Amino acid sequence: MALRHAVLAAMLDGEFTGYQLAKIFDVGVSNFWYASPQQLYTELAKLERAGMISGQQVIQLDRPNKRVFTVTEAGLEELAAFAAATSKPLSMRDDLAVKVQAVDHLDPAPVLAQLDERAVEAAAKLALFEQGMRRLRGGLDEEEFLRTSPRVGPYLTYLAGCRLEQEMRDWCLSTAALLRSRTVSHSEEER
């Protein structure tokens, strides 16, 4: 997958400025794709040159003018071709997992601190995803929303993000608890 596909998918619901797209990526897309605002602005320029999005200048009286972008037919065709291609299996590269892998030969204190920090971060992201899901559902419960909403894709990706962050939080907490208990029992054995 290229950044272009994530950008096109994020823009399917209307017109967006680069700033709005960065906010969408920060909350709604961050569970499956990270991009800095600079990368997004660069990608918007590439997509516009390729004819996959169209940009329009919006004149504002009391603020600087802004440029809004929409997905074109060529952009939809690109997404359709991407959707038809075989997906690659999920792969993960996580420096914290490498540190846990090596923790038996290290001072566990910094690894424990990072596990605690990651658990807090995962809980915060989980809360953001849950908030996004509630916003998308409006007054509907999940079952009714999924059955009747004209567009469920963003909700389903939020749902995946929730599950991943829940698992990450739980793994960090249980791993830290286990490492702490081993540290205590090793200290007691040394006495």
Side-chain angles (χ1 to χ4, degrees), residues 16-24 37 40-41 44 67-69:
F16 298 96
T17 64
Y19 176 78
Q20 290 169 320
L21 184 62
K23 289 294 184 193
I24 291 168
L40 293 173
Y41 282 105
L44 285 171
R67 192 155 174 76
V68 295
F69 300 93

Side-chain angles (χ1 to χ4, degrees), residues 121-151:
E121 291 168 0
K125 284 180 77 175
L126 178 60
L128 281 174
F129 292 145
E130 289 172 341
Q131 178 184 11
M133 290 168 64
R134 283 190 302 274
R135 180 183 45 77
L136 288 173
R137 282 194 316 260
L140 302 177
D141 67 22
E142 185 172 84
E143 183 182 327
E144 185 177 357
F145 173 80
L146 291 172
R147 191 171 23 83
T148 62
S149 177
R151 186 152 186 259

Side-chain angles (χ1 to χ4, degrees), residues 83-101:
T86 302
S87 294
K88 296 177 184 173
L90 176 66
S91 62
M92 183 175 88
R93 296 185 335 191
D94 186 354
D95 61 345
L96 182 55
V98 173
K99 294 170 186 181
V100 170
Q101 171 81 18

Side-chain angles (χ1 to χ4, degrees), residues 3-190:
L3 177 56
R4 72 177 21 195
H5 301 119
V7 169
L8 289 168
M11 294 179 62
L12 288 173
D13 287 325
E15 292 185 332
F16 298 96
T17 64
Y19 176 78
Q20 290 169 320
L21 184 62
K23 289 294 184 193
I24 291 168
F25 264 74
D26 191 39
V27 176
V29 179
S30 65
N31 63 321
F32 61 89
W33 193 279
Y34 172 78
S36 69
Q38 295 81 5
Q39 290 172 306
L40 293 173
Y41 282 105
T42 300
E43 193 61 36
L44 285 171
K46 289 178 187 177
L47 288 167
E48 187 173 24
R49 281 193 304 274
M52 292 184 205
I53 62 172
S54 63
Q56 173 181 316
Q57 190 81 358
V58 175
I59 308 297
Q60 302 186 109
L61 297 178
D62 296 334
R63 293 188 241 170
N65 295 340
K66 65 181 179 180
R67 192 155 174 76
V68 295
F69 300 93
T70 56
V71 177
T72 64
E73 190 61 38
L76 291 173
E77 290 170 7
E78 174 70 17
L79 272 177
F82 169 71
T86 302
S87 294
K88 296 177 184 173
L90 176 66
S91 62
M92 183 175 88
R93 296 185 335 191
D94 186 354
D95 61 345
L96 182 55
V98 173
K99 294 170 186 181
V100 170
Q101 171 81 18
V103 76
D104 298 321
H105 300 279
L106 308 171
D107 173 8
V111 178
L112 286 166
Q114 292 174 57
L115 284 164
D116 293 340
E117 183 179 314
R118 179 76 64 86
V120 169
E121 291 168 0
K125 284 180 77 175
L126 178 60
L128 281 174
F129 292 145
E130 289 172 341
Q131 178 184 11
M133 290 168 64
R134 283 190 302 274
R135 180 183 45 77
L136 288 173
R137 282 194 316 260
L140 302 177
D141 67 22
E142 185 172 84
E143 183 182 327
E144 185 177 357
F145 173 80
L146 291 172
R147 191 171 23 83
T148 62
S149 177
R151 186 152 186 259
V152 297
Y155 190 89
L156 295 173
T157 57
Y158 273 137
L159 192 57
C162 282
R163 290 179 181 168
L164 289 171
E165 294 303 332
Q166 176 89 41
E167 281 296 318
M168 179 54 69
R169 186 195 66 195
D170 292 350
W171 177 78
C172 288
L173 292 173
S174 65
T175 300
L178 175 73
L179 291 175
R180 283 188 175 94
S181 72
R182 289 175 52 89
T183 302
V184 168
S185 57
H186 286 336
S187 295
E188 290 172 355
E189 289 174 8
E190 292 173 359

